[in-house]
Amino acid sequence: MSFRAVDTRASFVALEDRIGDYWRSNDIKKQALAHGDHAKPFIFFEGPPTANGKPGVHHVEARVSKDIIIRYHRMCGEHVIGARGGWDTHGLPVEIEVEKKLGFAGKPDIERFGIAAFNAECKSSVQTYIGEWERMTDRIAYWIDMEKPYATYDNSYIESLWWILRQFWDRDLLFRDYKVTMHCPRCGTTLSDAEVNQGYEDDVDDPSVWLRFRLDPSGHPLDAALAGAAFLAWTTTPWTLPANVALAVNPDADYVLAECGPDNTREKVILAASLATNVLGEHHTVLATYTGSQLVGAKYTRLFDGVPGPGDKPDLSTGYRVIGDDFVSLDDGTGIVHIAPAYGDLDVGRKHGLPTLFSVDLSGNTMPQFESMGFANMFFKAADPVITKFLKERGDLFKSARVKHTYPFCWRCKTPLLFYAKPSWYIRTTALKDRLVSANQEVHWVPDHIQNGRFGNWLSNNIDWAISRERYWGTPLPIWISDDGKHSECIGSVAELEAKVGRSLSELDLHRPYVDEITWQDPIHGIMRRIPDVADCWFDSGAMPVAQWHYPFENKELFEKYAGQADYISEAIDQTRGWFYTLHAVSTLLFDRPAFKNVICLGHILDGKGEKMSKSRGNIVNPWEIIDEFGTDAVRWYMFASAPPYNPRRFSRELVGDMLRQFTLTLWNTYSFFVTYANLDGWTPAGLLNADGSLTLDVATLTNPLDRWALARLDHLVRTVSSELDSYDIHAPAKAIERFVEELSNWYVRRSRRRFWKTENDSDTQAAYATLYTCLVTLSKLLAPFMPFLAEEMYSNLVLSKAPNAGPSVHMAKWPQSVPSWRDDTLVASIDVVQTLVGLGRAARRTAALKIRQPLPAILVRVPSAVAASMPAFESDIREELNVKAVRWLETGATFIDYRFKPNLRTVGKKYGKLVPALGEALKALSGDHARAIAVAVEQGNSFDLVVDGQTLSISPDEVLVETSSPDGYAVAEENGVLAALDTTLTPELVAEGIAREVVRYIQDARKNAGFAISDRITVAIDGVSGNANLEATIALWHDYIRTETLADQLVLGSSHAGAHIESLELDAVTLTIAITKAE
RNA sequence: GGGCGUAUAGCUCAGCUGGUUAGAGCGCGAUCCUGAUAAGAUCGAGGUCGGUGGUUCGAGUCCACCUACGCCCA
């Protein structure tokens, strides 16, 4: 039975559809997921995508990176644990999406709508995109179990998170504290650092105001000296001014009392000496200089009465004075910093015992108390100009301008953020900071610079993890506090909660609001109620190793024995501070070990112009468009073969298309070539292919060096691809495969073509089939992780059709092993020289303007001595490739060759140092017979003497490089010690042979144009020859050759009969007509 | 402002511990080869290796500073 015919113009998209159908109808994916030796587990963690949007190109990238490594390990016989889908379902992104859909403007709308209904909407919103993700995951052949994914909203998942939090609680790693947080007034929540950092925007236009804080004499030693003066402070947030309670100076810096302004209105101001000219301009006079510490304690007249917090009666007597603190910078502003503890300076406030006053509430609106001043109940940004105007009219504004600076916005809703002191819950990661750092040293990072660079730096600057969110759709924090506020408990399981309330909670949805309804009576402290906060959704995903298995409530053995630590994870670089960190933190805090052993960190994908893809730019590439045009394999290959995926790189339709032409089609044509001829010859892999799909090819049975070369290269490829995948490099192996396919196609197949055409089925043809078959089958396996569809196509046709019991898929085939007997480094090096030689020969022909069809008498060749001995074996290759009658090997020292010498700088540099240039000159000066003699000496491994700069040096062979060239009269080319010189003497016989080849070429073209099959036999009639004795004689002489080459049963001179395919050509100044017909 | 990364031909990228004339592919032009090939070969045009200094006999490579871009942090 023959192989399935391979169409050279196949549609890869259609092929992938067909393979996809095969996988589906035979349950191949399910079998693959179960495949492998359970005693050799390979642990993978799937980073759960947030299913609140369609998957983009970058998602495809990450998923394929994961898939490649998983497939490789599976083929190596390991059983992959953790190849299952996962969904990150909680969090603000989902809530925002739902709020948008329902037209909500903030938390009050949600509360009115009801938390139960709102969370139900969130849950169903997540589910709407899951189908889209499943479709993409299937199309790109990311083989994970999508039928039993974990989801962070499952009760079981949440219960595991509770268990983790309880562990932290018991170890005092979970605590509550006030901290200044970044607060989104629209979303009504504190944002995590990671979230805040996603929302910084540059070039934000804000007010920039300088204000007078007038001295208020209060018994300070400098009261008299500073009488009538004002402290100048600068701010870009006028809305915080009503909350001002102090001015800070740098105690070590110099401050000046200066007089400035127009002559008739000179006024006195105080500011940092180094900034005076900046702020006041040249036209000012310094009256006195003080250190910052001298100013400390001076009081000033407040601009506004700030609003105390609810139920708070702050002691204002400690406020409105100058304080000294090192943090005060002299880089910009006035060196005097306005302090508003509630909005960013809480630590300073605490340190100096300052009151905390407010100007803006948590919804971002100014307090009603400012009604009389005209800026009550305004959004804080809108209040800025009103406040500024008010201060200007009152004379407190020194000057104002606009400034472009960086300011944080809510990453989701784009509302400007507030710095705001709020109570929050924290995980005390700083307590184990040293361990976080040391555990990172156990991780293998690809690329390696992340380890001690970006990730390492992040860890060593670790701050406690703000884990609470005042939101709705998330994992409820399992902390209950008594009404009197004095007692709190952390609940670690549903069972524990049941014990508290004394009833079954098996039907309870652990989400809000249901869990909020669970309360109990504490005998001493009253009713215990849950705090309203939910967890940062990064905690959900960071805890997935534990929670996906509902550990420790289920899967105890699986988790403890195997699945607790991943062998491999992969995501893009933005996850350094995201998932990579939260995984690492949770695992280190909980189990004192890193969560993953190996991680591939991918660079981002840019658009075709190298710009970041973003919705606002409108340059997002839809992965479906490209997959639908070129297929999944093309996209997969492009992503990992075209350029290292660890750096940002471009992605566009055109780039994927280029790659397809270059690599995929070359491979496909090689495959197609094999199948075409194997079918013509009825070749089968009997005796080569074993029943289990493995191959047995004894290199000793191969006599043709081409075959042994192909196997040596193949073995090298197997070793390279395996070792690189072992070290989690997914780019280098793809490059190695590319190179091999190129050589297989353009050297092995091109050199071997005639072996496949032979009509008699001799042992050489058999060997060629066996070799090419072995290469293609092995390639299908090596390629399987990267191009799962194409690999499956090749495997099913080449292997499965002949060994039905070999296993249904290349993806469960055994990974190819190196065959040491195939290795032959000398042969590989020799062929390398032959290839160089052929290239040089072509270059020489071009120089001499002699086309390759014209035979030449000889080529004179010199090669490096290391491979010289093996060269004669390749004489026929060289003769055929270059169309020469003979190859003549030149000895070293042959008078034909001239020699030039250069110092071998690698060896000579350190030894002779400054003498090197003179040595170079001396070597350059060598010529003629002297040079030839030295060349012979070097060839034989002997040193020679050379006078350099007056001293005689003994130069050893490894200290000099020899280059060769030949005199004029030959067409010569030279490179890397290889020299090729063509003898261009043309005899009438050679010219005639050239004509014969010309005729063959035209007949072949005619055959092709006529649409004849490769094996069709034809009759040829050549007209127009008569009268040209030269041509007539030539055709007569080469009659048999022409017939054989063109499969012509008959070759006649004269006019054709009707119905023939006719072409004409110019030859020897005559126009010939060639007519061909299919032979009967 | 700080950290990490990147900067080499029109485009996409190689260039190992410093070493000789800086390479490949795509694209462009010319020629050649071809009954597997949408491929391939040869030649050509195209490079101040981001910039400025420094170390060295010698710097794309090492050092310092600067610039631009990406990501992260503030």
Side-chain angles (χ1 to χ4, degrees):
Chain A
M1 195 177 59
S2 55
F3 296 104
R4 181 168 68 246
V6 176
D7 182 359
T8 52
R9 294 176 189 236
S11 150
F12 292 105
V13 175
L15 179 148
E16 292 183 3
D17 284 344
R18 201 174 66 234
I19 297 289
D21 286 342
Y22 169 75
W23 287 339
R24 269 184 296 276
S25 53
N26 293 280
D27 251 345
I28 300 295
K29 176 175 143 183
K30 196 173 273 178
Q31 291 182 53
L33 291 175
H35 186 75
D37 182 350
H38 286 246
K40 289 195 289 183
F42 181 79
I43 315 303
F44 170 73
F45 287 168
E46 161 74 344
T50 311
N52 76 319
K54 292 181 180 181
V57 176
H58 54 297
H59 297 113
V60 172
E61 177 197 30
R63 287 172 108 64
V64 172
S65 159
K66 298 168 184 182
D67 191 60
I68 289 172
I69 294 292
I70 290 176
R71 281 184 195 271
Y72 169 64
H73 281 272
R74 184 178 292 132
M75 288 176 75
C76 287
E78 292 159 69
H79 176 63
V80 180
I81 296 176
R84 65 190 298 215
W87 303 114
D88 198 3
T89 56
H90 285 149
L92 204 55
V94 182
E95 291 194 29
I96 296 277
E97 180 92 4
V98 170
E99 278 194 75
K100 245 191 255 165
K101 184 182 136 197
L102 299 176
F104 289 178
K107 287 171 84 171
D109 287 342
I110 298 173
E111 304 266 354
R112 267 193 299 277
F113 186 69
I115 298 174
F118 181 75
N119 277 354
E121 288 283 343
C122 287
K123 189 167 184 175
S124 78
S125 163
V126 169
Q127 282 158 346
T128 54
Y129 289 109
I130 285 183
E132 188 73 22
W133 276 83
E134 286 171 340
R135 201 161 70 87
M136 173 61 79
T137 303
D138 181 62
R139 184 64 185 85
I140 64 174
Y142 176 36
W143 278 7
I144 52 169
D145 186 350
M146 299 299 285
E147 286 168 26
K148 293 192 290 289
Y150 69 88
T152 57
Y153 60 44
D154 287 338
N155 262 7
S156 64
Y157 198 96
I158 292 171
E159 190 180 26
S160 286
L161 299 182
W162 282 10
W163 175 80
I164 294 171
L165 290 169
R166 174 61 185 273
Q167 305 305 303
F168 292 163
W169 177 270
D170 288 346
R171 290 162 59 199
D172 194 28
L173 295 174
L174 189 59
F175 68 102
R176 188 175 122 121
D177 193 11
Y178 288 95
K179 270 199 180 173
V180 171
T181 55
M182 296 305 268
H183 176 84
C184 173
R186 201 209 73 88
C187 303
T189 186
T190 298
L191 271 64
S192 71
D193 295 329
E195 288 169 317
V196 172
N197 282 309
Q198 283 181 61
Y200 273 98
E201 280 180 30
D202 294 328
D203 294 334
V204 177
D205 186 54
D206 261 328
S208 170
V209 296
W210 288 260
L211 301 146
R212 299 185 181 97
F213 290 84
R214 299 174 202 282
L215 182 78
D216 176 17
S218 59
H220 188 271
L222 292 179
D223 277 354
L226 302 176
F231 297 98
L232 285 187
W234 174 71
T235 183
T236 58
T237 52
W239 59 270
T240 61
L241 288 169
N244 170 274
V245 291
L247 295 173
V249 296
N250 189 318
D252 300 325
D254 283 337
Y255 287 80
V256 293
L257 173 68
E259 202 172 41
C260 66
D263 292 340
N264 53 344
T265 60
R266 297 292 276 181
E267 66 166 316
K268 289 180 190 171
V269 295
I270 304 155
L271 76 171
S274 60
L275 291 161
T277 306
N278 260 354
V279 177
L280 307 176
E282 295 296 339
H283 188 59
H284 70 274
T285 314
V286 173
L287 304 176
T289 303
Y290 308 99
T291 63
S293 53
Q294 284 177 280
L295 299 173
V296 169
K299 303 209 69 161
Y300 61 88
T301 309
R302 69 189 76 167
L303 296 180
F304 298 99
D305 292 319
V307 180
D312 201 11
K313 288 197 178 64
D315 176 7
L316 297 184
S317 68
T318 62
Y320 310 112
R321 59 186 165 97
V322 175
I323 58 170
D325 206 301
D326 295 333
F327 82 87
V328 175
S329 129
L330 299 171
D331 294 339
D332 51 14
T334 62
I336 300 177
V337 177
H338 135 67
I339 301 293
Y343 303 109
D345 307 313
L346 191 69
D347 295 339
V348 180
R350 280 216 193 100
K351 187 168 156 192
H352 296 275
L354 299 171
T356 301
L357 298 172
F358 294 84
S359 57
V360 165
D361 64 18
L362 283 169
S363 63
N365 291 324
T366 49
M367 307 288 216
Q369 283 86 342
F370 303 111
E371 182 71 55
S372 64
M373 296 165 187
F375 57 88
N377 304 312
M378 303 174 79
F379 193 60
F380 68 103
K381 282 285 174 186
D384 276 343
V386 183
I387 294 171
T388 306
K389 184 160 171 268
F390 177 85
L391 289 169
K392 185 178 181 185
E393 284 165 3
R394 210 171 64 182
D396 294 321
L397 183 70
F398 180 77
K399 67 172 181 174
S400 74
R402 304 294 294 178
V403 69
K404 299 251 189 219
H405 66 156
T406 306
Y407 194 85
F409 290 80
C410 177
W411 66 291
R412 270 290 158 186
C413 69
K414 304 299 175 202
T415 306
L417 298 181
L418 280 174
F419 294 83
Y420 211 108
K422 282 201 299 191
S424 277
W425 287 85
Y426 289 89
I427 295 178
R428 204 186 306 277
T429 52
T430 51
L432 281 97
K433 184 170 131 184
D434 291 348
R435 185 56 189 135
L436 286 171
V437 169
S438 68
N440 177 37
Q441 295 305 313
E442 300 164 28
V443 177
H444 172 221
W445 285 88
V446 177
D448 57 7
H449 64 77
I450 308 275
Q451 178 170 47
N452 293 317
R454 187 173 292 217
F455 197 66
N457 289 342
W458 167 250
L459 293 178
S460 46
N461 296 322
N462 186 258
I463 52 167
D464 287 329
W465 180 0
I467 196 191
S468 59
R469 297 288 181 276
E470 298 166 279
R471 297 295 308 187
Y472 309 97
W473 179 238
T475 298
L477 291 180
I479 297 167
W480 271 259
I481 296 184
S482 62
D483 277 353
D484 71 358
K486 288 180 180 161
H487 179 60
S488 53
E489 289 188 43
C490 180
I491 300 298
S493 69
V494 174
E496 211 177 311
L497 197 57
E498 286 174 335
K500 291 288 180 191
V501 299
R503 60 186 162 95
S504 165
L505 298 174
S506 58
E507 297 302 308
L508 179 72
D509 179 345
L510 296 183
H511 284 99
R512 298 186 69 185
Y514 312 105
V515 70
D516 300 334
E517 291 156 12
I518 307 294
T519 60
W520 67 89
Q521 182 78 33
D522 181 84
I524 302 162
H525 299 284
I527 295 177
M528 300 290 289
R529 296 179 204 279
R530 200 188 71 83
I531 60 167
D533 306 58
V534 298
D536 176 7
C537 62
W538 286 108
F539 177 68
D540 287 7
S541 53
M544 65 67 67
V546 174
Q548 70 164 331
W549 301 114
H550 193 209
Y551 180 82
F553 309 101
E554 288 181 74
N555 298 308
K556 223 166 146 46
E557 192 192 343
L558 171 75
F559 183 84
E560 286 170 10
K561 220 168 155 183
Y562 306 113
Q565 187 180 38
D567 287 302
Y568 173 60
I569 63 170
S570 176
E571 298 292 339
I573 190 152
D574 54 300
Q575 296 298 329
T576 322
R577 265 74 171 190
W579 193 53
F580 293 156
Y581 171 65
T582 58
L583 268 183
H584 187 71
V586 170
S587 178
T588 306
L589 264 58
L590 213 48
F591 303 117
D592 191 36
R593 68 179 178 217
F596 43 91
K597 294 180 186 165
N598 301 282
V599 50
I600 295 180
C601 189
L602 301 163
H604 282 132
I605 289 184
L606 310 173
D607 74 359
K609 293 194 196 98
E611 288 178 3
K612 193 167 76 163
M613 286 190 199
S614 71
K615 277 180 195 157
S616 56
R617 283 197 184 110
N619 60 351
I620 303 258
V621 176
N622 175 2
W624 282 107
E625 281 172 20
I626 297 180
I627 290 173
D628 286 343
E629 179 167 3
F630 300 110
T632 287
D633 281 347
V635 170
R636 287 176 67 121
W637 192 256
Y638 173 77
M639 280 179 165
F640 297 100
S642 66
Y646 319 115
N647 288 325
R649 65 204 183 288
R650 300 175 187 213
F651 185 84
S652 70
R653 201 192 147 274
E654 290 73 23
L655 291 168
V656 174
D658 287 347
M659 190 286 311
L660 185 76
R661 276 193 296 284
Q662 228 178 307
F663 173 72
T664 318
L665 288 176
T666 305
L667 173 63
W668 188 256
N669 285 321
T670 306
Y671 165 60
S672 159
F673 171 89
F674 169 81
V675 168
T676 304
Y677 283 93
N679 283 346
L680 277 177
D681 282 354
W683 183 85
T684 71
L688 175 62
L689 178 66
N690 304 316
D692 66 354
S694 62
L695 298 170
T696 311
L697 179 54
D698 184 358
V699 71
T701 63
L702 302 175
T703 51
N704 192 316
L706 266 176
D707 297 333
R708 298 210 319 276
W709 172 81
L711 292 182
R713 290 282 296 113
L714 183 65
D715 182 59
H716 180 256
L717 181 70
V718 168
R719 281 183 279 124
T720 306
V721 172
S722 306
S723 72
E724 278 158 352
L725 284 175
D726 281 339
S727 55
Y728 293 87
D729 186 344
I730 49 182
H731 171 65
K735 276 290 177 210
I737 292 172
E738 256 181 8
R739 203 179 137 204
F740 178 82
V741 167
E742 201 274 329
E743 290 195 19
L744 184 70
S745 168
N746 290 317
W747 185 259
Y748 180 79
V749 173
R750 190 159 59 81
R751 290 300 322 137
S752 295
R753 265 182 304 198
R754 283 175 180 276
R755 302 166 66 197
F756 294 96
W757 297 342
K758 284 177 193 167
T759 37
E760 70 279 25
N761 204 346
D762 65 6
S763 64
D764 187 52
T765 305
Q766 288 296 314
Y769 276 121
T771 303
L772 185 53
Y773 179 80
T774 301
C775 289
L776 288 170
V777 169
T778 307
L779 259 182
S780 79
K781 294 173 186 173
L782 296 178
L783 209 52
F786 299 92
M787 292 186 136
F789 292 96
L790 188 55
E792 190 77 302
E793 154 68 22
M794 288 171 63
Y795 177 84
S796 82
N797 195 15
L798 298 175
V799 176
L800 221 45
S801 67
K802 305 292 174 190
N805 298 322
S809 168
V810 72
H811 302 292
M812 286 171 268
K814 200 165 167 291
W815 186 256
Q817 300 299 302
S818 166
V819 182
S821 61
W822 290 3
R823 185 168 177 168
D824 190 339
D825 295 346
T826 314
L827 180 61
V828 170
S830 300
I831 296 279
D832 206 45
V833 170
V834 172
Q835 288 171 339
T836 305
L837 210 46
V838 168
L840 290 172
R842 291 203 182 108
R845 268 187 175 273
R846 182 183 161 78
T847 313
L850 287 164
K851 49 165 90 172
I852 291 178
R853 243 173 261 149
Q854 176 58 60
L856 292 176
I859 185 167
L860 282 65
V861 166
R862 183 190 179 275
V863 297
S865 51
V867 293
S870 60
M871 281 298 117
F874 307 108
E875 263 193 42
S876 62
D877 291 299
I878 297 165
R879 284 201 310 265
E880 277 181 37
E881 286 287 309
L882 294 174
N883 196 18
V884 295
K885 293 296 169 195
V887 179
R888 289 215 289 280
W889 306 94
L890 295 172
E891 297 292 320
T892 304
T895 50
F896 179 75
I897 304 174
D898 282 341
Y899 292 89
R900 290 189 309 273
F901 302 89
K902 284 181 179 176
N904 181 1
L905 293 171
R906 275 182 203 271
T907 52
V908 134
K910 283 185 184 67
K911 188 167 170 188
Y912 294 113
K914 291 191 177 164
L915 214 52
V916 168
L919 174 61
E921 287 303 314
L923 287 169
K924 201 173 167 187
L926 296 170
S927 67
D929 288 343
H930 186 202
R932 226 163 270 137
I934 288 176
V936 172
V938 169
E939 179 77 25
Q940 292 167 353
N942 298 326
S943 298
F944 62 95
D945 288 343
L946 188 68
V947 179
V948 177
D949 219 13
Q951 34 182 320
T952 303
L953 305 178
S954 174
I955 308 291
S956 64
D958 66 331
E959 287 169 349
V960 70
L961 300 174
V962 185
E963 287 174 6
T964 50
S965 63
S966 70
D968 297 339
Y970 285 82
V972 178
E974 182 221 358
E975 181 187 312
N976 293 333
V978 179
L979 176 141
L982 285 172
D983 181 351
T984 58
T985 319
L986 284 181
T987 61
E989 290 75 21
L990 290 171
V991 173
E993 188 180 343
I995 289 172
R997 285 190 56 145
E998 203 82 8
V999 171
V1000 167
R1001 178 84 279 279
Y1002 275 96
I1003 296 174
Q1004 300 287 37
D1005 261 356
R1007 282 185 61 112
K1008 208 173 185 178
N1009 295 339
F1012 292 170
I1014 294 165
S1015 52
D1016 285 344
R1017 303 205 65 89
I1018 56 168
T1019 340
V1020 182
I1022 303 178
D1023 201 9
V1025 179
S1026 54
N1028 187 322
N1030 186 25
L1031 271 183
E1032 229 168 319
T1034 299
I1035 290 172
L1037 182 63
W1038 291 93
H1039 185 265
D1040 287 348
Y1041 166 77
I1042 296 170
R1043 281 206 313 112
T1044 314
E1045 284 294 309
T1046 59
L1047 296 188
D1049 287 345
Q1050 260 195 313
L1051 171 63
V1052 295
L1053 297 184
S1055 60
S1056 64
H1057 55 278
H1061 179 88
I1062 294 174
E1063 306 233 347
S1064 54
L1065 76 129
E1066 290 285 329
L1067 204 58
D1068 203 22
V1070 188
T1071 302
L1072 303 185
T1073 308
I1074 292 180
I1076 62 169
T1077 40
K1078 230 181 261 191
E1080 295 311 319

